[in-house]
């Protein structure tokens, strides 16, 4: 997706290992978000950021931490991955486009925890 | 932000109009209605938004009832590529905090 990239796109890891997902934007938007998506649950907000070093929790933040040391990067860390964190993770940025405050999503990162 | 209610699934024949409803009975005066869709395994994509008036763009039309308690997204000539999950969200414009998505409506366009 233009202006927002996620890495890695796919990752397989073992229970108990740390994992960091990266979201990079080139739009200079202030707001960034991490969501997870699981069958039957739709998109659920994990954490979001409203500026450099300014972050807050979403509805499913337990087991996750985030950091934003510069405008373009928003990192999601699983300190000790568990099988319940197997999911597809989407990053999003929020900005004004044509009079609308629009969320633009990345392509997703598929994480499998064995 | 106000809560929305959408049917879990709908079917539509290819070439026909798809009308996707959304109830947002607790919407407040400064909340906009936004629609997104998510094609299988991709990130959600913005479609359209509106406050009071009906809106149309190259992708769809949005009809908002006069009392603003419900809206309908219209895809005038659905194609197989419109098969996706459609999300209706209401939010205060400029409010970027804790944006939440429900489960949306899975629209299946049949040949």
């Amino acid at each position: 997706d233009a202006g927002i990239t996620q890495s890695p796109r796919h990752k397989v890891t073992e229970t108990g290992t740390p994992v960091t997902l990266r979201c990079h934007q080139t739009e200079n938007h202030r707001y960034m978000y991490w969501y997870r998506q699981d069958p039957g649950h739709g998109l659920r907000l994990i954490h979001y950021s409203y500026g450099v070093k300014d972050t807050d929790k979403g509805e499913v933040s337990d087991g996750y931490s985030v950091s934003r040391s510069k405008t373009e990067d928003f990192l999601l860390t699983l300190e000790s991955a568990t099988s319940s964190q197997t999911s597809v993770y989407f990053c999003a940025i929020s900005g004004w486009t044509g009079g609308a405050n629009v969320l633009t999503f990345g392509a997703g990162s598929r994480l499998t925890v064995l | 932000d106000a809560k929305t209610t959408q049917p879990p699934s709908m079917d539509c024949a290819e070439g026909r109009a798809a009308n996707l409803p959304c109830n947002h009975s607790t919407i407040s005066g400064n909340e906009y209605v936004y629609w997104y869709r998510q094609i299988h395994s991709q990130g959600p994509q913005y479609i359209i938004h509106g406050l009071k008036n009906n809106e149309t763009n190259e992708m769809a039309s949005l009809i908002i009832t006069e009392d603003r308690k419900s809206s309908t997204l219209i895809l005038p000539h659905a194609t197989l590529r419109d098969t996706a999950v459609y999300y209706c969200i209401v939010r205060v414009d400029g409010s970027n905090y804790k944006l939440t998505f429900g489960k949306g409506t899975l629209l299946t366009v049949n040949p």
Side-chain angles (χ1 to χ4, degrees):
Chain A
D1 291 281
I4 179 171
T5 54
Q6 293 184 227
S7 59
R9 293 291 313 282
H10 301 273
K11 186 172 181 65
V12 179
T13 191
E14 295 187 348
T15 297
T17 60
V19 175
T20 295
L21 305 179
R22 179 181 183 238
C23 179
H24 179 78
Q25 61 145 331
T26 58
E27 305 297 320
N28 200 36
H29 287 329
R30 180 179 172 190
Y31 296 91
M32 299 185 74
Y33 309 81
W34 276 108
Y35 290 86
R36 62 176 289 175
Q37 186 167 42
D38 307 288
H41 288 278
L43 283 160
R44 293 183 291 174
L45 181 65
I46 306 172
H47 281 279
Y48 64 98
S49 169
Y50 46 98
V52 173
K53 298 186 179 179
D54 291 323
T55 65
D56 203 351
K57 296 178 180 180
E59 57 183 312
V60 289
S61 59
D62 287 348
Y64 301 94
S65 62
V66 289
S67 66
R68 185 139 177 234
S69 59
K70 47 187 178 178
T71 298
E72 56 266 37
D73 289 326
F74 191 32
L75 304 180
L76 178 70
T77 297
L78 292 65
E79 301 290 348
S80 178
T82 68
S83 58
S84 65
Q85 293 176 312
T86 292
S87 186
V88 180
Y89 292 86
F90 287 100
C91 177
I93 58 177
S94 180
W96 291 92
T97 303
N101 194 271
V102 172
L103 285 176
T104 302
F105 285 81
S109 296
R110 182 175 295 275
L111 175 67
T112 302
V113 184
L114 302 175
Chain B
D1 292 334
K3 185 176 179 180
T4 63
T5 303
Q6 299 177 253
S9 64
M10 295 182 64
D11 286 315
C12 177
E14 188 178 19
R16 306 296 288 267
N19 297 281
L20 293 96
C22 179
N23 285 316
H24 30 79
S25 58
T26 60
I27 193 170
S28 58
N30 60 347
E31 287 184 309
Y32 285 70
V33 180
Y34 278 77
W35 283 83
Y36 288 79
R37 75 177 182 184
Q38 185 175 25
I39 296 171
H40 180 63
S41 78
Q42 299 180 20
Q45 173 193 22
Y46 164 79
I47 301 173
I48 198 168
H49 79 292
L51 181 63
K52 299 180 187 178
N53 301 319
N54 300 337
E55 303 286 345
T56 296
N57 63 20
E58 65 278 4
M59 291 182 68
S61 296
L62 174 61
I63 308 298
I64 302 174
T65 58
E66 191 169 345
D67 63 7
R68 302 206 327 118
K69 292 186 177 181
S70 66
S71 60
T72 301
L73 178 75
I74 301 172
L75 307 178
H77 305 287
T79 71
L80 299 179
R81 287 175 293 186
D82 291 322
T83 292
V85 177
Y86 288 78
Y87 299 98
C88 169
I89 302 162
V90 292
R91 56 182 291 206
V92 176
D93 240 2
S95 166
N96 287 288
Y97 299 96
K98 297 192 175 182
L99 299 173
T100 57
F101 286 69
K103 295 182 182 179
T105 297
L106 172 61
L107 173 69
T108 302
V109 180
N110 301 304

